[in-house]
């Protein structure tokens, strides 16, 4: 290879690297999302993903809830959060995770239960957990116990958005 063809290859690589580091993203849907939670905090993980968001516990990892350790999978339609333990810290995603929810009023009821001291949500106290109402019927901004940000939008077609068939 001549040095000019090597330089052209290097330029292509640099261009690809620049595109890769571009902070904008056009991804609209991701099938699985892996994010570490704080080691030893299955209580907060369960309270947030299962009790608050209403994700389903994947039966293949259900024994880990009783054990209080290792990875959990939170099912959302046909998609999943893979939630392994950190070593020891939680991972905080540099971005916003957008979810479409069937009924935001259900989440607001759960948040009010949290504020009223419901024991299901006790593990969320003294964490980063927060719910912000941007539009009560359309959009909530939610922060999980470790600082991950979620934009939760109301569904206009729950059957279509569920994507479970």
């Amino acid at each position: 290879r001549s040095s000019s063809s090597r330089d052209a290859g290097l330029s292509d690589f640099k261009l690809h690297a620049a595109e890769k580091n571009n902070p904008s993203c056009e991804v609209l849907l991701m099938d699985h999302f892996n994010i570490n939670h704080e080691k030893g905090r299955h209580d907060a993980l369960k309270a947030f993903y299962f009790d608050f968001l209403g994700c389903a516990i994947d039966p293949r990892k259900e024994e880990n809830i009783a054990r209080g350790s290792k990875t959990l999978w939170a099912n959302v339609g046909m998609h999943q959060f893979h939630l392994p333990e950190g070593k020891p810290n939680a991972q905080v995603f540099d971005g916003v995770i957008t979810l479409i929810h069937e009924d935001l009023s259900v989440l607001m009821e759960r948040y009010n239960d949290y504020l009223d001291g419901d024991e299901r949500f006790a593990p969320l106290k003294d964490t980063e957990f927060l719910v912000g109402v941007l539009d009560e019927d359309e959009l909530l901004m939610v922060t999980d116990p470790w600082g991950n940000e979620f934009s939760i939008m109301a569904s206009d077609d729950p059957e279509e958005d569920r994507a479970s068939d």
Side-chain angles (χ1 to χ4, degrees), residues 118-131:
D118 186 314
E119 284 301 309
R120 292 177 301 163
F121 304 114
L124 300 176
K125 296 284 186 194
D126 300 320
T127 71
E128 300 290 322
F129 178 65
L130 181 66
V131 174

Side-chain angles (χ1 to χ4, degrees), residues 27-72:
V27 175
L28 298 177
L29 181 66
M30 188 178 317
D31 189 46
H32 288 67
F33 190 83
N34 296 331
I35 192 156
N36 297 343
H37 67 281
E38 181 181 1
K39 188 172 185 160
R41 290 304 314 265
H42 266 67
D43 59 340
L45 185 78
K46 180 184 176 299
F48 181 75
Y49 284 93
F50 305 114
D51 296 333
F52 178 72
L53 287 181
C55 299
I57 300 166
D58 191 292
R60 295 170 290 179
K61 297 293 181 181
E62 194 166 13
E63 73 277 0
N64 292 344
I65 286 186
R67 184 183 299 149
S69 65
K70 300 206 175 191
T71 298
L72 294 176

Side-chain angles (χ1 to χ4, degrees), residues 106-138:
V106 171
L107 292 178
M108 287 308 301
E109 286 175 30
R110 292 176 188 156
Y111 185 58
N112 287 326
D113 290 346
Y114 160 79
L115 293 174
D116 291 340
D118 186 314
E119 284 301 309
R120 292 177 301 163
F121 304 114
L124 300 176
K125 296 284 186 194
D126 300 320
T127 71
E128 300 290 322
F129 178 65
L130 181 66
V131 174
V133 179
L134 297 182
D135 182 330
E136 193 168 315
D137 298 323
E138 299 293 325

Side-chain angles (χ1 to χ4, degrees), residues 53-109:
L53 287 181
C55 299
I57 300 166
D58 191 292
R60 295 170 290 179
K61 297 293 181 181
E62 194 166 13
E63 73 277 0
N64 292 344
I65 286 186
R67 184 183 299 149
S69 65
K70 300 206 175 191
T71 298
L72 294 176
W73 293 345
N75 294 342
V76 182
M78 59 191 267
H79 308 287
Q80 286 183 324
F81 288 100
H82 287 188
L83 304 163
E85 289 183 312
K87 299 186 187 291
N89 297 328
Q91 180 181 14
V92 178
F93 178 65
D94 184 18
V96 177
I97 303 160
T98 300
L99 300 175
I100 308 297
H101 201 277
E102 187 171 343
D103 184 357
L104 296 185
S105 68
V106 171
L107 292 178
M108 287 308 301
E109 286 175 30

